[in-house]
């Protein structure tokens, strides 16, 4: 027995799906926002990284997007290396060798998604007549298009996260400095 939703219920179902997809996007962006330049003694790097993870997980979606975009573009601020006389000191960062145009397009798409999400969550997009089949159908179609856009970004971010899971020590370039 097939059950067909009325336009209002279909729109509400699609609204729920869209909110869940925005949460999935947020989860991936926050995970990638935890990437930061590393500098200092091993214990300091570990401490700083743990603090940054805690901070990044509390970011709003906008703050997480900004941090991730800075990381992607390699524009996160880096501190000068100050050698520790009693401990091994290290410095490192992750660089993404993507086409600059692709990075800019990705950043723009994330910002557009953020703007739409904020309008949706704060109700500006939902000022419709819920008893109007045509308005509910239009909202359903609009949400469908945004879900496709979210899906493209989630897929891209997931591929980067999967790439991190497959990193091996030989993938890193170690440069020693005798200064």
């Amino acid at each position: 027995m097939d059950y067909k939703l009325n336009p209002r219920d279909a729109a509400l179902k699609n609204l729920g799906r869209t909110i869940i997809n925005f949460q999935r996007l947020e989860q991936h962006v926050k995970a990638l926002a935890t990437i930061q330049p590393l500098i200092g003694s091993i214990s300091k790097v570990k401490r700083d990284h743990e603090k940054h993870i805690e901070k990044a997980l509390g970011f709003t979606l906008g703050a997480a997007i900004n941090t991730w975009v800075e990381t992607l573009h390699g524009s996160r601020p880096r501190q000068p290396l100050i050698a520790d006389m009693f401990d091994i000191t290290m410095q490192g960062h992750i660089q993404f060798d993507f086409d600059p145009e692709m990075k800019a397009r990705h950043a723009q798409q994330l910002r557009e998604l953020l703007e739409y999400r904020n309008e949706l969550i704060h109700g500006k997009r939902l000022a419709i007549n819920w008893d109007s089949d045509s308005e509910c159908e239009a909202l359903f179609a609009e949400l469908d298009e945004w879900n496709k856009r979210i899906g493209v970004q989630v897929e891209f971010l997931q591929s980067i996260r999967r790439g991190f899971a497959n990193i091996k020590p030989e993938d890193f370039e170690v440069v020693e400095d005798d200064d």
Side-chain angles (χ1 to χ4, degrees):
M1 174 176 166
D2 271 343
Y3 176 74
K4 180 145 171 58
L5 294 174
N6 64 46
R8 183 186 65 204
D9 289 344
L12 288 169
K13 181 179 176 183
N14 211 8
L15 176 60
R17 184 178 89 166
T18 305
I19 291 169
I20 295 298
N21 284 334
F22 272 122
Q23 289 173 337
R24 289 178 54 225
L25 176 72
E26 185 171 356
Q27 177 187 24
H28 291 297
V29 173
K30 283 183 176 183
L32 291 170
T34 64
I35 301 167
Q36 66 175 356
L38 309 171
I39 187 155
S41 67
I42 302 292
S43 60
K44 180 183 181 314
V45 166
K46 185 176 187 236
R47 236 181 4 261
D48 288 352
H49 186 64
E50 288 169 358
K51 284 181 195 174
H52 184 70
I53 287 173
E54 187 176 323
K55 181 180 174 185
L57 294 177
F59 281 163
T60 63
L61 180 57
I65 287 172
N66 288 337
T67 301
W68 161 238
V69 167
E70 286 177 351
T71 301
L72 182 65
H73 284 87
S75 59
R76 293 284 302 275
R78 293 187 213 155
Q79 305 287 325
L81 180 63
I82 300 171
D84 187 314
M85 291 176 33
F86 305 105
D87 204 352
I88 296 172
T89 307
M90 63 180 281
Q91 179 176 21
H93 70 279
I94 300 206
Q95 180 176 326
F96 294 92
D97 289 329
F98 294 126
D99 173 43
E101 192 175 298
M102 188 279 317
K103 289 179 186 180
R105 203 171 40 251
H106 172 63
Q108 180 61 34
Q109 289 168 359
L110 286 176
R111 288 187 177 108
E112 288 171 5
L113 287 170
L114 173 65
E115 183 177 334
Y116 185 81
R117 176 221 170 258
N118 287 344
E119 290 176 1
L120 190 66
I121 296 301
H122 298 294
K124 292 178 187 171
R125 291 280 179 174
L126 301 178
I128 68 168
N129 177 358
W130 289 98
D131 293 324
S132 166
D133 287 354
S134 63
E135 286 188 43
C136 289
E137 288 166 354
L139 177 62
F140 180 91
E142 178 182 317
L143 292 170
D144 231 25
E145 288 304 311
W146 283 98
N147 274 305
K148 289 174 187 169
R149 293 179 69 180
I150 296 167
V152 168
Q153 295 307 310
V154 165
E155 196 172 299
F156 176 72
L157 296 168
Q158 277 179 324
S159 70
I160 293 172
R161 290 184 71 191
R162 277 192 301 269
F164 275 106
N166 296 323
I167 291 178
K168 300 177 286 303
E170 56 268 20
D171 293 330
F172 289 94
E173 177 184 350
V174 177
V175 179
E176 293 185 35
D177 190 15
D178 292 333
D179 290 340

